[in-house]
Amino acid sequence: MTIPVIIDCDPGHDDVFALWLAAGHPALDVVAVTTVGGNVPLEFTTRNARIALSVAGVTDVPVAAGAAGPLVRPLQTAEWIHGENGLGGPELPEPTVPLDPRTATELIADALTASAEPVAVIATGPITNIAILLRDRPELAGCIREIVWMGGSTERGNATPYAEFNALVDPEALDLVVRSGVRFTMVGLNVTHLALVTPAVREQIAAIGTATAGFGAELFDFFCRTNDELFGMPDGPLHDPVAVAVLADPCCVEVRRARLDVELLGTETAGATSVDLDDMLAREPNAWVAVGLDVERFWAGVAASVARLA
Ligand code: BDR
Ligand code: CA
């Protein structure tokens, strides 16, 4: 049995690998891809999603553009990690995958209602599109099997001392989604910082020898360089595919039930995710939180998916 999934993303190097892990995985059926302004403005993230799928030969999945910016705040981007066009490194081809004329929320709504079974949503950027959907079409919440989101952290941040980038960009959207009652899993930096693109991983992907793998190897070169320059992490953490792994291969990621609250007001801590792993606040748990990763199994899954693509 495959799980139908919608991927909402802001490519971004690691978002590309999230798309590939999902598209190449036998446990998942990607029914739609939607984009959001995040790592770079929407125009680039949308084009990059189409390029990622085109390179991989995935031509049968509709791609629609969503929100250009967060619900209430101005957009913050991350060119410092991903380059001006969001996919620094390889020469980017013209995408052959077309842009669907629907908005992201229209496409998601159509995909949810067309499916015979509940559809999972994997979000790997600021979670604005999903918040808009749940705000404007609350009757569709029951059609969502669950939401798995890469973002936040049980520890410190990467965009401010306490906020992870996707959470920082649109904390109001995150708060709305967490409160929606739809099953929600947060896959934060505390686990994605284990998914390091080591020299061995780079060799493992390059050795696949396909067009997709070659493109991926060039993405890794750039991504590891910027992570080294900015964070002193030459083995850059490939955050977003870890969220895909939660659904594709649940044995890979350990999750725990916990209370998750989002800081909206803090002058220094907006976007921080407060995860009460020790039940200090005695509040009702409202989320699943990733707390462990089988690193070897994760990379084997990524490599196997990439190898199934063009
Ligand atoms: C997240 O922020 C983005 O730069 C990455 O694509 C990932 O989704 C990591 O903090
Ligand atoms: Ca992302």
Side-chain angles (χ1 to χ4, degrees), residues 74-157:
L75 176 65
Q76 299 184 56
T77 52
E79 282 87 358
W80 26 280
I81 286 284
H82 298 280
E84 286 300 316
N85 65 7
L87 286 186
E91 194 173 319
L92 300 182
E94 275 302 310
T96 52
V97 170
L99 177 63
D100 192 285
R102 289 169 284 185
T103 65
T105 42
E106 286 168 351
L107 174 57
I108 296 171
D110 287 349
L112 292 176
T113 46
S115 177
E117 56 184 301
V119 180
V121 173
I122 301 171
T124 62
I127 200 160
T128 318
N129 288 334
I130 312 308
I132 292 171
L133 179 91
L134 291 169
R135 182 193 66 192
D136 297 349
R137 302 287 306 273
E139 76 281 6
L140 293 178
C143 302
I144 302 177
R145 171 191 161 120
E146 62 182 294
I147 298 166
V148 183
W149 170 70
M150 188 281 131
S153 178
T154 62
E155 296 162 5
R156 291 170 67 91

Side-chain angles (χ1 to χ4, degrees), residues 14 17 21 150 187-199 201-202 204 220 223-224 227 233-245 252-253 292-300 302:
D14 52 338
F17 278 87
L21 175 57
M150 188 281 131
V187 181
L189 300 175
N190 52 298
V191 287
T192 67
H193 276 179
L194 301 171
L196 297 175
V197 183
T198 60
V201 165
R202 291 166 76 165
Q204 187 180 12
F220 279 162
F223 186 67
C224 289
N227 271 282
M233 295 178 86
D235 304 343
L238 204 68
H239 310 279
D240 291 338
V242 183
V244 177
C252 208
V253 189
L293 179 70
D294 183 333
V295 175
E296 213 169 300
R297 187 172 172 131
F298 168 74
W299 284 118
V302 172

Side-chain angles (χ1 to χ4, degrees), residues 80 222-234:
W80 26 280
F222 185 95
F223 186 67
C224 289
R225 195 165 60 245
T226 54
N227 271 282
D228 190 17
E229 285 163 8
L230 285 156
F231 298 118
M233 295 178 86

